[in-house]
Amino acid sequence: MHRDVERVLFSQEQIAQRVSELAAALSAEYQGRNPLCIGVLKGSVFFMADLLRQMDTMASMDFMILSSYGQGSVSQGKVKIVKDLDVEIVGRDVIIVEDIIDTGHTLAQLMKLLDTRHPASIKLVTLLDKPARREVSFVPDLCGFTVPDEFLVGYGLDYAERYRNLPYIGVLKRAIYE
Ligand code: PRP
């Protein structure tokens, strides 16, 4: 375990197991279709890569970069598109792939925006959901794990761009960020 991590919340094996369950659910739902999976960078990269490789159906990929927190560390409730999609989504089945939902601002605004582009359907799958921090009501269609209100790192999640490549999800020691 990394010395800055207080404890492992989900091991590599637990994540792999849950990701294959989510992939099985999506495979059943999208059988015979070709959904466009939209990864919200950067946190979703490992989840997206693992999830799509387990999906037993056609799936296309695109990515967006959003900036949700402005300059500070506290959500300002405003989402800016830094990188938009490369493709049109009109008439497409869209699956947004996220690493975590926290306040809900990012996803609520992204869903609203993508809806104006008239996809055939739009669903959200998130690996982690932290409902204790919610500021706008938002419920994911599929969720890997509900998590407590702690500072999580690994498997895509960062603190100051560090720890994203830890293969597990851990709780960061307070001394690192306080
Ligand atoms: C995280 C996460 C979501 C957003 C959720 O991204 O990936 O996009 O925050 O927060 P919210 O529910 O409070 O809006 P972040 O802005 O940390 O960027 P990153 O994925 O590059 O780490």
Side-chain angles (χ1 to χ4, degrees):
M1 193 171 77
H2 193 290
R3 65 178 182 281
D4 296 348
V5 170
E6 186 181 287
R7 69 177 199 279
V8 173
L9 195 59
F10 302 111
S11 68
Q12 204 171 345
E13 294 73 26
Q14 286 173 306
I15 295 169
Q17 171 63 30
R18 190 66 188 118
V19 170
S20 53
E21 289 168 8
L22 294 174
L26 290 172
S27 302
E29 188 167 348
Y30 290 91
Q31 205 49 242
R33 289 146 79 186
N34 176 22
L36 176 69
C37 300
I38 299 176
V40 184
L41 294 172
K42 304 169 194 156
S44 68
V45 280
F46 300 111
F47 178 42
M48 175 102 163
D50 288 344
L51 183 73
L52 266 69
R53 281 180 296 176
Q54 298 273 335
M55 277 172 68
D56 186 20
T57 175
M58 274 200 294
S60 305
M61 301 170 83
D62 203 348
F63 293 93
M64 291 182 86
I65 300 177
L66 307 173
S67 124
S68 50
Y69 291 168
Q71 297 298 315
S73 61
V74 176
S75 173
Q76 295 162 359
K78 283 259 184 284
V79 171
K80 194 176 108 197
I81 296 182
V82 178
K83 184 223 168 277
D84 206 334
L85 297 170
D86 293 333
V87 297
E88 303 280 329
I89 60 166
V90 59
R92 295 293 304 269
D93 291 311
V94 166
I95 304 172
I96 301 174
V97 180
E98 259 291 16
D99 54 336
I100 188 163
I101 306 179
D102 200 341
T103 65
H105 285 296
T106 307
L107 271 302
Q109 290 184 46
L110 178 61
M111 294 282 267
K112 210 192 277 179
L113 169 82
L114 294 182
D115 213 37
T116 66
R117 299 180 184 182
H118 306 294
S121 68
I122 181 159
K123 295 233 166 170
L124 170 78
V125 55
T126 185
L127 180 64
L128 307 177
D129 187 10
K130 202 187 266 185
R133 295 252 310 156
R134 207 66 107 246
E135 290 175 10
V136 290
S137 139
F138 190 86
V139 181
D141 297 290
L142 267 180
C143 164
F145 303 103
T146 300
V147 294
D149 188 9
E150 293 185 282
F151 205 121
L152 305 180
V153 291
Y155 199 67
L157 298 161
D158 74 310
Y159 170 62
E161 295 301 327
R162 291 156 63 200
Y163 314 109
R164 288 195 199 272
N165 64 325
L166 296 177
Y168 52 84
I169 293 170
V171 177
L172 190 64
K173 283 183 182 164
R174 278 188 174 273
I176 306 299
Y177 60 91
E178 279 187 349

